């Protein structure tokens, strides 16, 4: 029984429902909310230091936004609502995963386009070579025979 | 002829990279353009009992400047705003962002107060609603309180002359 308590204690220490983001620890009622919080701050960008997530950033604004996200989770807002709240204010730029729309269509399909173009070029080169090679072989063979 | 395709690809790449060099990745387009100013009601910097609300700004073309006494870049643009106020043609309102009231008051006393009123946003809630991420930022609002332009960073004489003033004059013309 003692051991049982010990391990639950240890488990709670490791996976406590609190999330230590920078300096303010947030406590959640359940692990689902804590998990949602961790995921959200990992996939949202800090606007001040643009190559950091909200989770990583020590900027003042990032702290405020983490607070804001925490409050929204506590008041039962869904992930989509929270993301929309930030996109409405800061634009698609807060998302690390860019959404598919008219301005990002090249970003999403550009690589496939380039890949297809590369394949077509390779096919063309191979075809041209295979057309050239038999001719050359024919020449060589003729040379050998004579 | 043999190298024309690689050369064309190379030239296009150079042009694209050249354009990329000129772009400022720090400038994030605001999704708030052409949207109404978020509703707010905040005490003013000068008097905690006097409230400045979003409806107070309606019915006139407004330059809304986000500033703070701790913001170094605000100092560089501040004389421009003071000059603009002295000319008396533009309605300038301020939003004092995440500041201490005493510091803000001292700042205004020392450097001049170009604002008709400055809202005191100590916890930065209105700042979040306005998508503020780098003070100073400046918004141009039309008579209906719609955000028409947002400038991030200090206002320069160039930007004032080329962007802000022409837009303000256009919005103030009776046709607008």
């Amino acid at each position: 029984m003692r051991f049982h308590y010990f391990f639950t204690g240890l488990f709670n220490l490791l996976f406590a429902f609190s999330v230590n983001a920078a300096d303010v620890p947030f406590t959640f009622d359940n692990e689902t909310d804590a998990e949602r919080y961790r995921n959200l701050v990992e996939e949202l960008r800090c606007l001040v230091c643009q190559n950091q997530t909200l989770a990583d950033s020590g900027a003042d604004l990032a702290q405020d936004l983490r607070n804001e996200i925490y409050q929204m989770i506590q008041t039962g807002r869904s992930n989509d609502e929270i993301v929309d709240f930030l996109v409405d204010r800061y634009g698609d730029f807060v998302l690390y995963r860019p959404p598919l729309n008219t301005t990002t269509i090249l970003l999403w399909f550009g690589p496939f386009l380039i890949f297809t173009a590369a394949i077509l070029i390779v096919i063309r080169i191979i075809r041209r070579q295979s057309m050239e090679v038999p001719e050359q072989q024919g020449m060589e063979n003729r040379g050998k025979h004579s | 002829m043999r190298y024309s395709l690689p050369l064309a690809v190379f030239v296009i790449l150079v042009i694209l990279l050249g354009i990329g060099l000129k772009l400022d990745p720090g400038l994030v387009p605001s999704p708030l353009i052409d949207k109404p100013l978020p509703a707010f009601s905040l005490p003013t910097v000068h008097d905690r009992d006097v409230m400045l609300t979003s409806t107070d700004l309606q019915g006139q073309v407004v330059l809304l400047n986000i500033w703070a006494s701790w913001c170094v870049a605000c100092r560089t643009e501040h004389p421009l705003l003071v000059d603009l106020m002295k000319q008396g043609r533009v309605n300038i309102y301020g939003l004092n962002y995440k500041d201490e009231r005493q510091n803000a008051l001292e700042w205004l006393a020392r450097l001049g107060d170009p604002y008709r009123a400055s809202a005191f946003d100590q916890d930065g809630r209105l700042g979040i609603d306005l998508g503020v991420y780098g003070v100073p930022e400046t918004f141009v609002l039309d008579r209906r309180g719609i955000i028409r332009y947002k400038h991030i960073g200090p206002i320069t004489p160039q930007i004032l002359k080329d962007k802000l003033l022409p837009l303000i004059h256009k919005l103030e013309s009776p046709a607008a």
Side-chain angles (χ1 to χ4, degrees):
Chain A
M1 238 4 228
R2 274 248 178 98
F3 259 111
H4 174 78
Y5 281 126
F6 175 74
F7 277 113
T8 354
L10 197 67
F11 182 83
N12 280 344
L13 269 179
L14 286 172
F15 300 98
F17 294 152
S18 68
V19 176
N20 254 308
D23 41 346
V24 179
F26 293 128
T27 35
F28 292 91
D29 304 332
N30 55 63
E31 180 57 27
T32 325
D33 280 354
E35 185 67 31
R36 279 176 59 203
Y37 173 83
R38 279 193 292 263
N39 288 339
L40 280 168
V41 293
E42 280 295 336
E43 67 179 52
L44 292 166
R45 188 193 300 269
C46 169
L47 271 294
V48 183
C49 23
Q50 297 180 345
N51 291 326
Q52 281 187 307
T53 62
L54 281 185
D56 294 335
S57 175
D60 210 30
L61 179 65
Q63 182 59 60
D64 288 353
L65 291 178
R66 285 196 294 263
N67 253 319
E68 205 68 30
I69 291 168
Y70 172 71
Q71 298 299 339
M72 283 190 276
I73 287 177
Q74 291 299 85
T75 51
R77 308 268 290 271
S78 74
N79 282 8
D80 283 350
E81 283 175 320
I82 294 170
V83 169
D84 285 348
F85 173 92
L86 288 163
V87 170
D88 283 349
R89 284 157 180 76
Y90 297 98
D92 289 338
F93 193 70
V94 291
L95 306 171
Y96 260 105
R97 275 180 285 171
L100 184 58
N101 58 34
T102 44
T103 47
T104 58
I105 195 149
L106 202 63
L107 182 71
W108 278 91
F109 295 110
F112 299 107
L113 224 74
I114 292 170
F115 184 68
T116 322
I119 296 245
L120 288 177
I121 289 170
V122 167
I123 289 176
R124 236 181 67 179
I125 291 172
I126 290 173
R127 275 215 186 130
R128 196 185 291 163
Q129 279 182 348
S130 60
M131 266 162 28
E132 279 166 10
V133 168
E135 270 173 35
Q136 276 172 357
Q137 277 176 342
M139 298 273 277
E140 276 166 26
N141 287 346
R142 229 174 288 157
K144 265 182 201 162
H145 280 290
S146 61
Chain B
M1 207 48 207
R2 186 177 155 78
Y3 296 110
S4 58
L5 184 69
L7 187 68
V9 170
F10 176 74
V11 168
I12 289 169
L13 203 63
V14 166
I15 290 170
L16 286 179
L17 289 174
I19 294 170
L21 271 181
K22 299 258 166 151
L23 296 176
D24 182 354
L27 294 182
V28 180
S30 175
L32 290 164
I33 305 295
D34 293 332
K35 303 246 170 70
L37 182 73
F40 69 89
S41 177
L42 285 171
T44 60
V45 169
H46 285 285
D47 188 342
R48 65 183 77 226
D49 297 324
V50 175
M51 302 301 272
L52 182 71
T53 66
S54 41
T55 44
D56 291 340
L57 306 189
Q58 282 172 13
Q60 54 187 335
V61 178
V62 165
L63 196 74
L64 177 64
N65 179 242
I66 323 291
W67 65 280
S69 67
W70 48 260
C71 153
V72 180
C74 297
R75 260 159 227 256
T76 56
E77 70 168 14
H78 200 73
L80 278 175
L81 293 173
V82 175
D83 275 353
L84 207 57
M85 183 268 291
K86 283 182 184 150
Q87 291 165 19
R89 286 185 306 171
V90 181
N91 309 307
I92 310 172
Y93 284 84
L95 173 66
N96 181 247
Y97 177 70
K98 300 199 77 167
D99 210 345
E100 297 298 327
R101 194 183 292 272
Q102 198 51 43
N103 296 348
L105 286 171
E106 278 167 20
W107 203 80
L108 292 176
R110 196 168 66 242
L111 300 169
D113 184 356
Y115 309 109
R116 296 219 163 162
S118 272
F120 186 60
D121 185 24
Q122 191 164 28
D123 53 10
R125 276 295 297 126
L126 180 56
I128 290 179
D129 281 342
L130 284 169
V132 170
Y133 66 90
V135 202
E137 293 188 10
T138 303
F139 292 84
V140 177
L141 314 172
D142 70 11
R143 289 201 193 91
R144 290 170 300 149
I146 309 287
I147 296 168
R148 300 299 286 264
Y149 190 76
K150 178 186 184 183
H151 177 72
I152 295 160
I155 301 169
T156 62
Q158 193 72 28
I159 285 157
L160 191 65
K161 191 168 121 284
D162 293 346
K163 286 271 166 67
L164 298 177
L165 286 178
L167 178 63
I168 289 169
H169 291 153
K170 199 183 116 207
L171 293 174
E172 276 177 341
S173 70

